[in-house]
Amino acid sequence: MDLDVFVTAHRAEWDRLDALLRRQRRLTGPEADELVALYQRTATHLSLIQSSAPDPQLTGRLTQLVARARSVVTGTRRASWRDATRFLTHGFPAAVYRSRHWWVPTALLSAVLAAVLGWWIGTHPEVQSSIAAPSELRDLTRPGGEYETYYSSNPAASFAAQVWTNNAQAAAMCLVLGAFLCLPVIWILFQNMLNLGVGIGLMSSAGRLDTFLGLVLPHGLLELTAVFVAAGTGLRLGWTLIDPGPRTRRTAMAEEGRAALGMAIGLALVLLISGAIEGFVTPSGLPTWARIGIGVIAELAFLAYVYVLGGRAARAGETGDVDEAERSATVPTAA
């Protein structure tokens, strides 16, 4: 593209759009139609310049012009309870459903990794001795030891809030750091599975694996599912950077990034539920079968939410991205 020729050909349109946006009086019908047409053309010009002949000064001017025109054309819109309801019933479950080909394999591989690590640690005393001294291991695994008292070490409400904060941060890191070619997400996931594997190995070597699972499963099913969803989405985001498909890399990252941001909000709510279970159900005096049953019900409810509501919304075209009217204008690309 010859940038000088392009600017000369379209400068009058940009100036006219700027003049319409500066009008103090109400626009007439033909002027409003002209403004919309000029806004659409200018947005296309901006995309062409960004992709073919980026010029910082010109790009800045057109970006500001398109943003001003967009605010006039679309109007100011405030979020409402209807938006929140639609997000929870359509956007979030659809985004999780669309990412299932990433987070389901992530969950299965992670569970296998945790089991293998647990078996390795539980059957190799030399590995256990490298983790801690024998007296410290006994304090961890004995009846009434640290593994059991951990869940009742603080008042239930404050403990649940602390757990929710930590897990929400881990999920957010998986979502955000996925853009760095997936590697940080893999490391965070490995650390989580290593911690789980250590617990499985140490408690199984002490003959108390049933006690450990009775403490972990009530909240762990839903909690780990949320972490796996975050990790799978982060991996998908990182792969989008490597292979954006038919979309431009900028467009693909913008679309997937906005969906991932929405998922961070939704997963925070899911982790709030698992944190409440961990704070109030796990350390409770309920029988083990009842505590695990609550965890299983919460997990099945989430999966039904994703596969029923999310699947229906996804098949209807929902992606978890913001509405089309709120996205930046882009040049169409061939499939």
Side-chain angles (χ1 to χ4, degrees), residues 57-80:
Q57 185 174 359
L58 182 58
T59 298
R61 181 199 172 188
L62 293 185
T63 299
Q64 184 181 34
L65 191 59
V66 168
R68 289 167 53 207
R70 181 185 175 196
S71 67
V72 172
V73 171
T74 61
T76 302
R77 184 175 180 274
R78 295 183 179 181
S80 65

Side-chain angles (χ1 to χ4, degrees), residues 176-255:
V176 173
L177 296 179
F180 294 92
L181 301 179
C182 306
L183 298 178
V185 177
I186 295 174
W187 176 248
I188 293 172
L189 198 57
F190 175 76
Q191 290 294 314
N192 277 273
M193 293 305 100
L194 178 60
N195 290 335
L196 180 59
V198 168
I200 292 174
L202 295 181
M203 289 295 275
S204 64
S205 68
R208 307 193 67 233
L209 181 59
D210 56 338
T211 300
F212 180 76
L213 294 178
L215 292 169
V216 170
L217 289 179
H219 63 274
L221 290 172
L222 186 60
E223 177 184 300
L224 287 176
T225 299
V227 172
F228 294 147
V229 170
T233 304
L235 293 174
R236 178 181 180 176
L237 187 61
W239 187 253
T240 299
L241 182 62
I242 298 172
D243 180 15
R247 301 169 294 181
T248 65
R249 186 166 280 105
R250 179 193 296 270
T251 300
M253 288 298 294
E255 292 177 356

Side-chain angles (χ1 to χ4, degrees), residues 48-318:
L48 287 170
I49 291 172
Q50 288 175 326
S51 61
S52 303
D55 177 86
Q57 185 174 359
L58 182 58
T59 298
R61 181 199 172 188
L62 293 185
T63 299
Q64 184 181 34
L65 191 59
V66 168
R68 289 167 53 207
R70 181 185 175 196
S71 67
V72 172
V73 171
T74 61
T76 302
R77 184 175 180 274
R78 295 183 179 181
S80 65
W81 284 110
R82 181 177 297 178
D83 296 322
T85 301
R86 178 170 179 78
F87 168 73
L88 292 175
T89 58
H90 292 77
F92 173 57
V96 178
Y97 181 82
R98 289 179 64 246
S99 299
R100 69 192 185 283
H101 297 304
W102 286 89
W103 62 263
V104 171
T106 298
L108 295 176
L109 292 174
S110 298
V112 170
L113 175 61
V116 170
L117 288 172
W119 168 83
W120 180 56
I121 293 170
T123 56
H124 291 75
E126 67 277 9
V127 177
Q128 299 171 30
S129 63
S130 68
I131 296 174
S135 60
E136 294 176 329
L137 294 179
R138 283 193 297 272
D139 289 337
L140 283 171
T141 59
R142 65 178 174 81
E146 294 181 24
Y147 270 126
E148 293 185 38
T149 58
Y150 167 75
Y151 297 102
S152 56
S153 57
N154 291 296
S158 62
F159 182 75
Q162 179 183 353
V163 167
W164 173 64
T165 302
N166 293 338
N167 290 332
Q169 287 177 345
M173 288 176 63
C174 285
L175 290 168
V176 173
L177 296 179
F180 294 92
L181 301 179
C182 306
L183 298 178
V185 177
I186 295 174
W187 176 248
I188 293 172
L189 198 57
F190 175 76
Q191 290 294 314
N192 277 273
M193 293 305 100
L194 178 60
N195 290 335
L196 180 59
V198 168
I200 292 174
L202 295 181
M203 289 295 275
S204 64
S205 68
R208 307 193 67 233
L209 181 59
D210 56 338
T211 300
F212 180 76
L213 294 178
L215 292 169
V216 170
L217 289 179
H219 63 274
L221 290 172
L222 186 60
E223 177 184 300
L224 287 176
T225 299
V227 172
F228 294 147
V229 170
T233 304
L235 293 174
R236 178 181 180 176
L237 187 61
W239 187 253
T240 299
L241 182 62
I242 298 172
D243 180 15
R247 301 169 294 181
T248 65
R249 186 166 280 105
R250 179 193 296 270
T251 300
M253 288 298 294
E255 292 177 356
E256 300 300 335
R258 288 191 299 264
L261 180 60
M263 290 181 69
I265 299 172
L267 289 176
L269 297 176
V270 175
L271 289 169
L272 180 62
I273 297 173
S274 71
I277 295 174
E278 188 169 0
F280 293 94
V281 176
T282 299
S284 71
L286 291 173
T288 300
W289 65 266
R291 289 186 280 111
I292 293 179
I294 291 173
V296 170
I297 290 173
E299 174 72 2
L300 292 178
F302 177 72
L303 293 178
Y305 168 72
V306 169
Y307 278 87
V308 176
L309 282 183
R312 184 184 303 147
R315 288 188 291 273
E318 181 68 59

